Amino acid sequence: MDTHQHPQAVVVGVDGSVTADLAVAWAAEYAGALRSPLRIVTAYPPDASAEEIRAATDDGRKAGTHALRLAWQHLDDAARSATTALGPDLQLETVPVPGSPTSVLLDESQRAAILVVGSRRLGRVHRVFSVSTGATSAAKAACPVVVVREAVSRSLSGTRVVVGVEGPDSGSAAAFAFEQAHRFGAGLTAVHSWTLNSADLGSLVSPQAQRQRLQTRSQALLDEVLTPLAAAYPDVDVRRYVVEGSAPERLVELSENARLLVVGSRGLSPLSAMVLGSVSREVVAHAHCPVAVIHARSARRPTALAQS
């Protein structure tokens, strides 16, 4: 297969796991809908010589280290799955890259239109002491990232895209969500949540008045972010919810029957994300459907692909 790096490719990382297979299926559907190239990438330990790496071509895949041969096996399996799903017209390339999965995917994100990865469901202890490839890629990638979990969406075709709106800086996530809802003919559900903090409760204003103030302010924030996008996408059915409570919990609840859940990210480092428990990290860890994590700096990429 051609190893030339196509511009604006949908890139998916594979490692032979079940979640990687799910990620390939999602990426293939997305690439087909956008008529964009699909680039399937896998990482392998960089212990092969330069000669072995050059030998690992379509005509010499049996050469090289065991790790490199296994990498090609994962790529070939993923390519068969992608072409079976969408047919031979899909533009496809497969590339083994030496290095750690996270470093390889972060490098790929510099040139990708969107990066798709799988993410296993981790137990509580592992969530505290481990940083999954999917979560790290979502936190630091230079393009939008979609994380596909073992607990795939139970949604049917035509269900809604859900987007979490934290504040005015959520415009990039909201724009991406509108693009996806428009492209796939889905409705959009936008959610902003608020909670009373200790300062609110300690003020001279009654809790009921504080709640009303926060509700009103939150509704205005949601309108500020969504109104121009709703005007740009008049075909998208928009539902707006302002709720009291934990943002991750509300979003995870709504992901039960969602096609896609979209959240923004401030680009926290892996350590900070573990300590601070960002909304995007919590949603990636618990959602029941694919999760798109959008950074303000990467918002231009999906927009370029969104033209029908």
Side-chain angles (χ1 to χ4, degrees):
M1 295 182 184
D2 178 22
T3 57
H4 175 68
Q5 170 67 61
H6 297 284
Q8 298 290 291
V10 174
V11 175
V12 56
V14 301
D15 60 2
S17 66
V18 173
T19 51
D21 292 341
L22 295 173
V24 169
W26 196 97
E29 179 186 10
Y30 191 83
L34 271 62
R35 298 186 292 276
S36 176
L38 177 64
R39 178 176 168 91
I40 306 176
V41 177
T42 193
Y44 67 94
D47 57 356
S49 67
E51 290 74 18
E52 289 173 330
I53 293 173
R54 285 195 295 269
T57 64
D58 286 343
D59 298 324
R61 296 188 182 192
K62 292 184 179 180
T65 65
H66 172 73
L68 189 54
R69 292 194 298 271
L70 184 61
W72 274 116
Q73 180 180 326
H74 293 331
L75 290 169
D76 290 341
D77 289 345
R80 279 192 294 271
S81 176
T83 53
T84 298
L86 289 181
D89 293 335
L90 177 69
Q91 299 179 58
L92 175 67
E93 63 175 335
T94 55
V95 184
V97 183
S100 71
T102 298
S103 63
V104 167
L105 292 177
L106 291 179
D107 180 67
E108 289 286 329
S109 77
Q110 299 292 329
R111 298 172 296 280
I114 192 168
L115 176 65
V116 185
V117 295
S119 180
R120 297 176 178 85
R121 182 180 293 276
L122 301 176
R124 182 181 300 273
V125 173
H126 290 88
R127 282 200 301 271
V128 173
F129 294 104
S130 300
V131 179
S132 71
T133 299
T136 304
S137 300
K140 300 181 74 64
C143 69
V145 177
V146 172
V147 181
V148 183
R149 297 171 45 77
E150 287 180 318
V152 297
S153 171
R154 295 192 291 274
S155 63
L156 301 174
S157 177
T159 53
R160 307 183 73 80
V161 173
V162 177
V163 58
V165 178
E166 292 188 73
D169 57 351
S170 296
S172 298
F176 183 89
F178 267 92
E179 289 172 4
Q180 306 318 306
H182 167 71
R183 179 166 297 281
F184 292 105
L188 182 139
T189 298
V191 182
H192 176 77
S193 67
W194 56 268
T195 57
L196 283 176
N197 57 38
S198 57
D200 294 324
L201 294 174
S203 70
L204 297 177
V205 181
S206 70
Q208 181 178 357
Q210 288 282 24
R211 284 187 169 89
Q212 183 59 49
R213 179 182 63 83
L214 289 171
Q215 184 77 13
T216 300
R217 186 173 65 182
S218 297
Q219 187 63 61
L221 183 152
L222 202 56
D223 290 343
E224 176 186 349
V225 172
L226 298 180
T227 297
L229 291 168
Y233 295 93
D235 60 314
V236 176
D237 173 60
V238 182
R239 299 176 187 173
R240 311 177 187 203
Y241 294 101
V242 174
V243 295
E244 180 179 4
S246 164
E249 289 180 6
R250 296 291 186 176
L251 292 172
V252 169
E253 288 173 4
L254 288 169
S255 75
E256 288 275 355
N257 296 298
R259 179 189 186 98
L260 179 69
L261 175 57
V262 184
V263 293
S265 174
R266 297 184 178 90
L268 298 174
S269 69
L271 178 59
S272 296
M274 283 191 289
V275 174
L276 299 176
S278 69
V279 171
S280 57
R281 182 178 176 82
E282 287 298 307
V283 167
V284 165
H286 298 286
H288 301 285
C289 70
V291 177
V293 181
I294 312 300
H295 303 277
R297 64 180 181 274
S298 63
R300 68 188 186 279
R301 295 178 184 261
T303 301
L305 282 173
Q307 303 303 317
S308 298

